[in-house]
Amino acid sequence: VLYKESVGMGTPTPVTPEMERVKRNQEICSSVLYKENIGKATPTPVTPEMERVKRNQEIISSVLYKENVGKVTPTPITPEMERVKRNQEIISSVLYKENLGRATPTPITPEMERVKRNQEQISSVGYKEGLGKATPTPVTPEMERVKRNQEHISSVLYKEHLAKGTPTPMTPEMERAKRNQENISSVLYSDSFRKQVQGKAAYVLDTPEMRRVRETQKHISTVKYHEDFEKSKGSFTPVVTDPITERVKKNMQDFSDISYRGIQRRVVEMERKRVDQDQENLTG
């Protein structure tokens, strides 16, 4: 506290690249001087006794650590704690990815593929060597019966755990929705049919046999047409004459006479002359 009171107000200085470089050099010098002060050591092999002592020390440390731990009160994991935990994991993942430097991708060469396959085969061989020898047993009818019984029991227990359902009546609204779904399915099916099949012709090879059948059909059609024509030639179909037919016939004849004799043209000329005469009378 007294030390801090005697310290005056300081002026903060920004960390420049030069200061960063000096700081790194100081760290490197400290590491080099530390390593120079260390003498030469003699490596000792790790013996089974040392492994045993190391494991005992780890067990003793774990036991002492657990003895020093007092009684705690368990707290339930709340949704807020779950949210904070997920946020911490996301932040850790982001910080971890930010600290990664740029890597140089290396192509997978045939040698690397070969080594990878060898490692997989060695792992498979090592795994199988650890397995003991087994005695294969044939599948007897008794084993088949027991297996089927187990399946039946599993099915029965599964159905027992199911709750009882409440049947719902088929209301008019449900019927309408069902029909709408069927109509929608039909429309979608028809659309896909039109897009995929409709309008596309099926290609058939024009073989000599097909050409022969086509020519034969033409000849048969021509013969049939002439046969029907010869039968109907010289005959007529009687039609009943009623007043309406007579009136239509007379009108058609009058129209034909007017068109042939030019009566309609004379009527139009006379009407035009009458209109001109009326105009002259009005102006005069």
Side-chain angles (χ1 to χ4, degrees):
V1 174
L2 294 175
Y3 169 73
K4 292 183 179 179
E5 287 179 354
S6 60
V7 176
M9 300 286 288
T11 303
T13 58
V15 180
T16 61
E18 182 65 20
M19 293 173 69
E20 289 285 343
R21 185 181 63 79
V22 173
K23 185 178 178 181
R24 285 197 299 273
N25 290 338
Q26 289 293 332
E27 292 175 355
I28 294 170
C29 292
S30 299
S31 176
V32 171
L33 293 175
Y34 171 74
K35 291 181 180 179
E36 286 180 354
N37 295 329
I38 297 175
K40 293 182 178 180
T42 304
T44 57
V46 179
T47 60
E49 182 66 19
M50 294 174 67
E51 289 285 342
R52 186 182 63 80
V53 172
K54 184 178 178 181
R55 283 196 301 273
N56 290 339
Q57 288 293 331
E58 292 175 354
I59 294 169
I60 292 169
S61 300
S62 176
V63 171
L64 293 176
Y65 172 75
K66 291 181 180 179
E67 286 180 354
N68 294 329
V69 177
K71 294 182 178 180
V72 296
T73 304
T75 58
I77 298 175
T78 61
E80 182 66 18
M81 293 173 68
E82 288 286 342
R83 184 182 65 79
V84 172
K85 184 178 177 182
R86 286 196 299 272
N87 291 339
Q88 287 295 329
E89 291 175 354
I90 294 170
I91 293 169
S92 300
S93 176
V94 171
L95 293 175
Y96 171 74
K97 292 181 179 179
E98 286 180 354
N99 293 329
L100 292 177
R102 293 185 179 179
T104 304
T106 57
I108 299 175
T109 60
E111 182 66 18
M112 293 172 69
E113 289 285 342
R114 186 182 62 81
V115 172
K116 183 179 178 181
R117 285 196 300 272
N118 291 340
Q119 289 293 331
E120 291 175 355
Q121 292 172 0
I122 292 169
S123 300
S124 177
V125 171
Y127 170 76
K128 292 180 180 179
E129 287 180 353
L131 296 175
K133 293 183 178 180
T135 304
T137 57
V139 179
T140 60
E142 182 66 17
M143 293 173 68
E144 289 285 342
R145 185 182 64 80
V146 172
K147 183 179 178 181
R148 284 197 300 273
N149 290 339
Q150 287 293 330
E151 292 176 355
H152 294 327
I153 292 169
S154 299
S155 177
V156 170
L157 293 176
Y158 171 75
K159 293 180 180 178
E160 286 180 354
H161 292 307
L162 293 176
K164 292 183 178 180
T166 304
T168 57
M170 186 68 72
T171 60
E173 182 65 19
M174 294 173 70
E175 288 285 344
R176 185 182 65 79
K178 184 178 178 182
R179 285 196 300 272
N180 290 340
Q181 287 295 327
E182 292 176 353
N183 293 335
I184 292 169
S185 300
S186 177
V187 169
L188 294 176
Y189 172 76
S190 300
D191 288 343
S192 63
F193 173 77
R194 281 194 295 270
K195 291 178 181 178
Q196 296 178 6
V197 179
Q198 191 175 8
K200 295 182 179 179
Y203 296 98
V204 181
L205 295 177
D206 192 8
T207 60
E209 183 66 20
M210 294 285 290
R211 286 195 293 271
R212 186 185 63 79
V213 171
R214 191 164 57 245
E215 291 294 331
T216 304
Q217 288 294 330
K218 288 181 181 179
H219 294 324
I220 292 172
S221 300
T222 304
V223 171
K224 182 69 175 174
Y225 171 75
H226 284 291
E227 183 180 353
D228 295 339
F229 176 75
E230 292 294 333
K231 287 182 179 179
S232 61
K233 186 170 64 174
S235 62
F236 62 92
T237 303
V239 179
V240 179
T241 304
D242 54 349
I244 296 175
T245 306
E246 288 290 339
R247 184 175 60 81
V248 171
K249 183 178 179 182
K250 185 177 180 182
N251 291 337
M252 292 300 295
Q253 189 172 0
D254 293 340
F255 289 145
S256 300
D257 290 343
I258 291 171
S259 299
Y260 176 73
R261 296 176 183 177
I263 297 175
Q264 183 69 24
R265 186 168 55 253
R266 288 199 300 271
V267 169
V268 173
E269 291 177 356
M270 291 173 66
E271 183 68 21
R272 187 170 61 249
K273 289 179 180 179
R274 185 181 65 79
V275 172
D276 293 341
Q277 187 176 3
D278 292 340
Q279 289 291 333
E280 291 177 356
N281 294 331
L282 290 173
T283 55

